[in-house]
Tab-separated table of all heavy atoms in Angstrom:
chain	number	residue	atom	x	y	z
V	26	LYS	N	18.999	-11.157	49.931
V	26	LYS	CA	20.327	-11.224	50.539
V	26	LYS	C	20.662	-12.684	50.796
V	26	LYS	O	19.812	-13.560	50.656
V	26	LYS	CB	20.366	-10.462	51.875
V	26	LYS	CG	19.998	-8.997	51.805
V	26	LYS	CD	21.084	-8.186	51.183
V	26	LYS	CE	20.681	-6.707	51.189
V	26	LYS	NZ	21.714	-5.866	50.674
V	27	VAL	N	21.891	-12.934	51.206
V	27	VAL	CA	22.323	-14.272	51.587
V	27	VAL	C	22.887	-14.189	52.999
V	27	VAL	O	23.660	-13.288	53.304
V	27	VAL	CB	23.404	-14.805	50.619
V	27	VAL	CG1	23.939	-16.130	51.089
V	27	VAL	CG2	22.839	-14.945	49.226
V	28	LYS	N	22.466	-15.119	53.849
V	28	LYS	CA	22.986	-15.171	55.226
V	28	LYS	C	23.938	-16.355	55.326
V	28	LYS	O	23.573	-17.486	55.011
V	28	LYS	CB	21.831	-15.337	56.207
V	28	LYS	CG	22.262	-15.422	57.650
V	28	LYS	CD	21.020	-15.369	58.512
V	28	LYS	CE	21.148	-16.117	59.770
V	28	LYS	NZ	19.925	-16.082	60.572
V	29	ILE	N	25.160	-16.052	55.745
V	29	ILE	CA	26.203	-17.073	55.892
V	29	ILE	C	26.464	-17.248	57.387
V	29	ILE	O	26.683	-16.266	58.095
V	29	ILE	CB	27.492	-16.628	55.180
V	29	ILE	CG1	27.205	-16.426	53.691
V	29	ILE	CG2	28.610	-17.637	55.401
V	29	ILE	CD1	28.269	-15.645	52.971
V	30	GLU	N	26.430	-18.494	57.850
V	30	GLU	CA	26.675	-18.785	59.263
V	30	GLU	C	27.867	-19.726	59.381
V	30	GLU	O	27.949	-20.719	58.667
V	30	GLU	CB	25.443	-19.433	59.898
V	30	GLU	CG	24.224	-18.527	59.897
V	30	GLU	CD	22.989	-19.235	60.394
V	30	GLU	OE1	22.301	-19.851	59.564
V	30	GLU	OE2	22.740	-19.187	61.612
V	31	VAL	N	28.783	-19.377	60.296
V	31	VAL	CA	29.994	-20.165	60.521
V	31	VAL	C	30.276	-20.184	62.017
V	31	VAL	O	30.184	-19.148	62.675
V	31	VAL	CB	31.206	-19.520	59.800
V	31	VAL	CG1	32.438	-20.363	59.975
V	31	VAL	CG2	30.924	-19.286	58.342
V	32	VAL	N	30.629	-21.340	62.561
V	32	VAL	CA	31.077	-21.445	63.956
V	32	VAL	C	32.562	-21.769	63.926
V	32	VAL	O	32.987	-22.717	63.265
V	32	VAL	CB	30.287	-22.515	64.730
V	32	VAL	CG1	30.829	-22.650	66.153
V	32	VAL	CG2	28.807	-22.168	64.764
V	33	LEU	N	33.344	-20.942	64.641
V	33	LEU	CA	34.805	-21.036	64.591
V	33	LEU	C	35.420	-20.985	65.977
V	33	LEU	O	34.811	-20.481	66.923
V	33	LEU	CB	35.365	-19.854	63.789
V	33	LEU	CG	34.866	-19.660	62.374
V	33	LEU	CD1	35.295	-18.307	61.849
V	33	LEU	CD2	35.412	-20.754	61.506
V	34	SER	N	36.665	-21.428	66.053
V	34	SER	CA	37.432	-21.223	67.286
V	34	SER	C	37.761	-19.740	67.385
V	34	SER	O	37.770	-19.021	66.376
V	34	SER	CB	38.712	-22.052	67.261
V	34	SER	OG	39.566	-21.580	66.239
V	35	ASP	N	38.046	-19.272	68.579
V	35	ASP	CA	38.323	-17.849	68.798
V	35	ASP	C	39.480	-17.339	67.936
V	35	ASP	O	39.450	-16.208	67.462
V	35	ASP	CB	38.623	-17.586	70.282
V	35	ASP	CG	37.388	-17.772	71.159
V	35	ASP	OD1	36.265	-17.779	70.613
V	35	ASP	OD2	37.543	-17.904	72.383
V	36	ALA	N	40.479	-18.185	67.694
V	36	ALA	CA	41.651	-17.763	66.921
V	36	ALA	C	41.318	-17.526	65.444
V	36	ALA	O	42.002	-16.764	64.770
V	36	ALA	CB	42.754	-18.818	67.036
V	37	GLN	N	40.276	-18.164	64.927
V	37	GLN	CA	39.914	-18.037	63.522
V	37	GLN	C	38.997	-16.848	63.242
V	37	GLN	O	38.781	-16.511	62.078
V	37	GLN	CB	39.205	-19.305	63.039
V	37	GLN	CG	40.088	-20.527	62.933
V	37	GLN	CD	39.284	-21.710	62.452
V	37	GLN	OE1	38.377	-22.168	63.145
V	37	GLN	NE2	39.603	-22.203	61.268
V	38	VAL	N	38.458	-16.224	64.281
V	38	VAL	CA	37.431	-15.200	64.095
V	38	VAL	C	37.937	-13.978	63.332
V	38	VAL	O	37.333	-13.568	62.337
V	38	VAL	CB	36.810	-14.792	65.454
V	38	VAL	CG1	35.892	-13.600	65.293
V	38	VAL	CG2	36.054	-15.962	66.053
V	39	GLU	N	39.027	-13.375	63.762
V	39	GLU	CA	39.522	-12.153	63.102
V	39	GLU	C	39.895	-12.382	61.639
V	39	GLU	O	39.497	-11.593	60.778
V	39	GLU	CB	40.681	-11.529	63.885
V	39	GLU	CG	40.237	-10.801	65.142
V	39	GLU	CD	39.151	-9.750	64.904
V	39	GLU	OE1	39.253	-8.966	63.929
V	39	GLU	OE2	38.186	-9.717	65.679
V	40	PRO	N	40.650	-13.461	61.309
V	40	PRO	CA	40.929	-13.694	59.895
V	40	PRO	C	39.652	-13.903	59.064
V	40	PRO	O	39.566	-13.446	57.927
V	40	PRO	CB	41.786	-14.963	59.890
V	40	PRO	CG	42.373	-15.036	61.251
V	40	PRO	CD	41.385	-14.395	62.169
V	41	ALA	N	38.656	-14.563	59.644
V	41	ALA	CA	37.400	-14.798	58.930
V	41	ALA	C	36.656	-13.485	58.693
V	41	ALA	O	36.118	-13.260	57.607
V	41	ALA	CB	36.524	-15.777	59.699
V	42	ILE	N	36.640	-12.609	59.685
V	42	ILE	CA	35.978	-11.309	59.533
V	42	ILE	C	36.673	-10.487	58.453
V	42	ILE	O	36.017	-9.885	57.593
V	42	ILE	CB	35.937	-10.551	60.878
V	42	ILE	CG1	34.965	-11.244	61.828
V	42	ILE	CG2	35.525	-9.089	60.662
V	42	ILE	CD1	34.983	-10.689	63.245
V	43	GLU	N	37.990	-10.466	58.472
V	43	GLU	CA	38.738	-9.722	57.449
V	43	GLU	C	38.458	-10.276	56.054
V	43	GLU	O	38.285	-9.513	55.102
V	43	GLU	CB	40.236	-9.775	57.752
V	43	GLU	CG	40.627	-8.955	58.966
V	43	GLU	CD	42.082	-9.138	59.360
V	43	GLU	OE1	42.895	-9.504	58.487
V	43	GLU	OE2	42.399	-8.920	60.540
V	44	ALA	N	38.392	-11.604	55.929
V	44	ALA	CA	38.096	-12.231	54.637
V	44	ALA	C	36.685	-11.866	54.169
V	44	ALA	O	36.468	-11.587	52.986
V	44	ALA	CB	38.254	-13.744	54.744
V	45	LEU	N	35.735	-11.867	55.102
V	45	LEU	CA	34.360	-11.490	54.764
V	45	LEU	C	34.288	-10.052	54.263
V	45	LEU	O	33.672	-9.773	53.231
V	45	LEU	CB	33.446	-11.648	55.986
V	45	LEU	CG	32.916	-13.044	56.254
V	45	LEU	CD1	32.417	-13.160	57.679
V	45	LEU	CD2	31.815	-13.378	55.266
V	46	ILE	N	34.919	-9.149	54.983
V	46	ILE	CA	34.876	-7.736	54.604
V	46	ILE	C	35.514	-7.539	53.228
V	46	ILE	O	34.942	-6.873	52.357
V	46	ILE	CB	35.578	-6.867	55.659
V	46	ILE	CG1	34.765	-6.859	56.957
V	46	ILE	CG2	35.780	-5.449	55.149
V	46	ILE	CD1	35.493	-6.253	58.142
V	47	LYS	N	36.670	-8.118	53.035
V	47	LYS	CA	37.400	-7.937	51.777
V	47	LYS	C	36.620	-8.495	50.582
V	47	LYS	O	36.565	-7.884	49.518
V	47	LYS	CB	38.754	-8.629	51.889
V	47	LYS	CG	39.723	-8.295	50.793
V	47	LYS	CD	41.025	-9.043	51.023
V	47	LYS	CE	42.196	-8.093	50.947
V	47	LYS	NZ	43.473	-8.772	51.084
V	48	SER	N	35.996	-9.652	50.759
V	48	SER	CA	35.330	-10.314	49.635
V	48	SER	C	33.905	-9.830	49.391
V	48	SER	O	33.414	-9.904	48.264
V	48	SER	CB	35.325	-11.827	49.842
V	48	SER	OG	34.640	-12.157	51.033
V	49	ALA	N	33.222	-9.321	50.405
V	49	ALA	CA	31.816	-8.929	50.245
V	49	ALA	C	31.632	-7.443	49.937
V	49	ALA	O	30.564	-7.032	49.500
V	49	ALA	CB	31.025	-9.283	51.506
V	50	ARG	N	32.661	-6.647	50.135
V	50	ARG	CA	32.528	-5.195	49.967
V	50	ARG	C	32.452	-4.800	48.497
V	50	ARG	O	33.256	-5.220	47.682
V	50	ARG	CB	33.708	-4.482	50.619
V	50	ARG	CG	33.661	-2.962	50.447
V	50	ARG	CD	34.822	-2.297	51.099
V	50	ARG	NE	34.575	-2.229	52.534
V	50	ARG	CZ	35.527	-2.152	53.446
V	50	ARG	NH1	36.792	-2.140	53.086
V	50	ARG	NH2	35.212	-2.076	54.716
V	51	THR	N	31.440	-3.968	48.182
V	51	THR	CA	31.341	-3.356	46.855
V	51	THR	C	31.554	-1.847	46.959
V	51	THR	O	31.794	-1.193	45.965
V	51	THR	CB	29.966	-3.590	46.198
V	51	THR	OG1	28.961	-2.911	46.951
V	51	THR	CG2	29.638	-5.060	46.096
V	52	GLY	N	31.410	-1.326	48.170
V	52	GLY	CA	31.544	0.107	48.378
V	52	GLY	C	30.230	0.848	48.232
V	52	GLY	O	30.176	2.063	48.370
V	53	LYS	N	29.171	0.118	47.954
V	53	LYS	CA	27.858	0.735	47.782
V	53	LYS	C	26.948	0.353	48.935
V	53	LYS	O	27.186	-0.623	49.633
V	53	LYS	CB	27.238	0.291	46.462
V	53	LYS	CG	28.057	0.739	45.266
V	53	LYS	CD	27.450	0.274	43.983
V	53	LYS	CE	28.332	0.751	42.830
V	53	LYS	NZ	28.216	-0.070	41.677
V	54	ILE	N	25.886	1.118	49.107
V	54	ILE	CA	24.935	0.849	50.179
V	54	ILE	C	24.342	-0.547	50.002
V	54	ILE	O	24.142	-1.012	48.886
V	54	ILE	CB	23.841	1.944	50.218
V	54	ILE	CG1	23.061	1.880	51.534
V	54	ILE	CG2	22.933	1.847	49.016
V	54	ILE	CD1	22.246	3.116	51.814
V	55	GLY	N	24.116	-1.237	51.121
V	55	GLY	CA	23.534	-2.570	51.075
V	55	GLY	C	24.542	-3.693	51.031
V	55	GLY	O	24.185	-4.835	50.763
V	56	ASP	N	25.823	-3.403	51.306
V	56	ASP	CA	26.843	-4.449	51.301
V	56	ASP	C	26.606	-5.502	52.384
V	56	ASP	O	27.037	-6.627	52.241
V	56	ASP	CB	28.239	-3.851	51.478
V	56	ASP	CG	28.844	-3.408	50.168
V	56	ASP	OD1	28.259	-3.690	49.107
V	56	ASP	OD2	29.906	-2.764	50.201
V	57	GLY	N	25.939	-5.139	53.467
V	57	GLY	CA	25.588	-6.126	54.484
V	57	GLY	C	26.183	-5.847	55.845
V	57	GLY	O	26.727	-4.777	56.103
V	58	LYS	N	26.068	-6.843	56.713
V	58	LYS	CA	26.538	-6.729	58.092
V	58	LYS	C	27.140	-8.056	58.533
V	58	LYS	O	26.848	-9.109	57.979
V	58	LYS	CB	25.371	-6.408	59.020
V	58	LYS	CG	24.772	-5.039	58.821
V	58	LYS	CD	24.658	-4.323	60.139
V	58	LYS	CE	24.292	-2.884	60.007
V	58	LYS	NZ	23.172	-2.545	59.200
V	59	ILE	N	27.974	-7.980	59.571
V	59	ILE	CA	28.564	-9.166	60.189
V	59	ILE	C	28.237	-9.118	61.677
V	59	ILE	O	28.453	-8.092	62.328
V	59	ILE	CB	30.096	-9.198	59.997
V	59	ILE	CG1	30.443	-9.235	58.513
V	59	ILE	CG2	30.701	-10.388	60.733
V	59	ILE	CD1	31.919	-9.051	58.222
V	60	PHE	N	27.714	-10.222	62.196
V	60	PHE	CA	27.389	-10.332	63.617
V	60	PHE	C	28.226	-11.457	64.214
V	60	PHE	O	28.322	-12.536	63.629
V	60	PHE	CB	25.903	-10.657	63.824
V	60	PHE	CG	24.975	-9.680	63.162
V	60	PHE	CD1	24.465	-9.930	61.897
V	60	PHE	CD2	24.627	-8.504	63.795
V	60	PHE	CE1	23.607	-9.037	61.282
V	60	PHE	CE2	23.772	-7.602	63.182
V	60	PHE	CZ	23.262	-7.869	61.925
V	61	VAL	N	28.812	-11.215	65.380
V	61	VAL	CA	29.612	-12.230	66.057
V	61	VAL	C	29.014	-12.462	67.437
V	61	VAL	O	28.842	-11.520	68.209
V	61	VAL	CB	31.092	-11.798	66.192
V	61	VAL	CG1	31.899	-12.879	66.889
V	61	VAL	CG2	31.687	-11.477	64.831
V	62	THR	N	28.701	-13.723	67.740
V	62	THR	CA	28.142	-14.074	69.044
V	62	THR	C	28.918	-15.249	69.632
V	62	THR	O	29.565	-16.006	68.907
V	62	THR	CB	26.652	-14.460	68.930
V	62	THR	OG1	26.512	-15.507	67.971
V	62	THR	CG2	25.796	-13.282	68.503
V	63	SER	N	28.824	-15.400	70.936
V	63	SER	CA	29.489	-16.514	71.616
V	63	SER	C	28.666	-17.786	71.489
V	63	SER	O	27.440	-17.745	71.505
V	63	SER	CB	29.679	-16.192	73.092
V	63	SER	OG	30.600	-15.143	73.234
V	64	VAL	N	29.372	-18.917	71.378
V	64	VAL	CA	28.724	-20.225	71.324
V	64	VAL	C	29.186	-20.990	72.558
V	64	VAL	O	30.380	-21.157	72.781
V	64	VAL	CB	29.109	-20.985	70.041
V	64	VAL	CG1	28.556	-22.398	70.063
V	64	VAL	CG2	28.639	-20.234	68.817
V	65	GLU	N	28.241	-21.450	73.349
V	65	GLU	CA	28.580	-22.126	74.599
V	65	GLU	C	28.856	-23.614	74.433
V	65	GLU	O	29.715	-24.165	75.107
V	65	GLU	CB	27.451	-21.926	75.612
V	65	GLU	CG	27.339	-20.494	76.075
V	65	GLU	CD	26.270	-20.319	77.129
V	65	GLU	OE1	25.976	-21.303	77.844
V	65	GLU	OE2	25.734	-19.219	77.227
V	66	HIS	N	28.099	-24.258	73.546
V	66	HIS	CA	28.212	-25.712	73.465
V	66	HIS	C	27.853	-26.171	72.058
V	66	HIS	O	26.883	-25.697	71.473
V	66	HIS	CB	27.267	-26.348	74.492
V	66	HIS	CG	27.508	-27.794	74.745
V	66	HIS	ND1	28.664	-28.276	75.297
V	66	HIS	CD2	26.734	-28.881	74.511
V	66	HIS	CE1	28.586	-29.587	75.405
V	66	HIS	NE2	27.417	-29.977	74.924
V	67	VAL	N	28.645	-27.117	71.520
V	67	VAL	CA	28.388	-27.692	70.206
V	67	VAL	C	28.491	-29.202	70.325
V	67	VAL	O	29.382	-29.714	71.002
V	67	VAL	CB	29.421	-27.197	69.164
V	67	VAL	CG1	29.177	-27.851	67.812
V	67	VAL	CG2	29.387	-25.699	69.036
V	68	VAL	N	27.584	-29.925	69.664
V	68	VAL	CA	27.633	-31.387	69.642
V	68	VAL	C	27.471	-31.851	68.196
V	68	VAL	O	26.536	-31.435	67.512
V	68	VAL	CB	26.513	-32.020	70.496
V	68	VAL	CG1	26.560	-33.535	70.416
V	68	VAL	CG2	26.601	-31.560	71.934
V	69	ARG	N	28.397	-32.688	67.733
V	69	ARG	CA	28.233	-33.306	66.416
V	69	ARG	C	27.351	-34.531	66.619
V	69	ARG	O	27.696	-35.436	67.384
V	69	ARG	CB	29.581	-33.707	65.827
V	69	ARG	CG	29.422	-34.414	64.475
V	69	ARG	CD	30.737	-34.683	63.780
V	69	ARG	NE	31.205	-33.416	63.216
V	69	ARG	CZ	32.456	-33.011	63.229
V	69	ARG	NH1	33.390	-33.753	63.801
V	69	ARG	NH2	32.807	-31.876	62.677
């Protein structure tokens, strides 16, 4: 499998989830999962 990780602002989350579902779906078992968690602090 491939694990994709992205950190986004709250406003970008729903469009990103919809894009993931639309592009990754094959309709067969094993299409994968999406997990969303909160991020408290980020430093570049």
Side-chain angles (χ1 to χ4, degrees):
K26 302 286 182 177
V27 175
K28 179 171 149 182
I29 300 164
E30 297 174 272
V31 183
V32 177
L33 304 168
S34 66
D35 291 343
Q37 290 180 295
V38 172
E39 285 307 316
I42 290 172
E43 289 173 24
L45 277 162
I46 291 169
K47 192 180 231 183
S48 60
R50 178 180 282 155
T51 66
K53 297 179 180 154
I54 195 164
D56 274 352
K58 292 230 170 50
I59 299 171
F60 305 95
V61 180
T62 55
S63 293
V64 174
E65 292 183 26
H66 194 64
V67 178
V68 178
R69 177 173 284 140

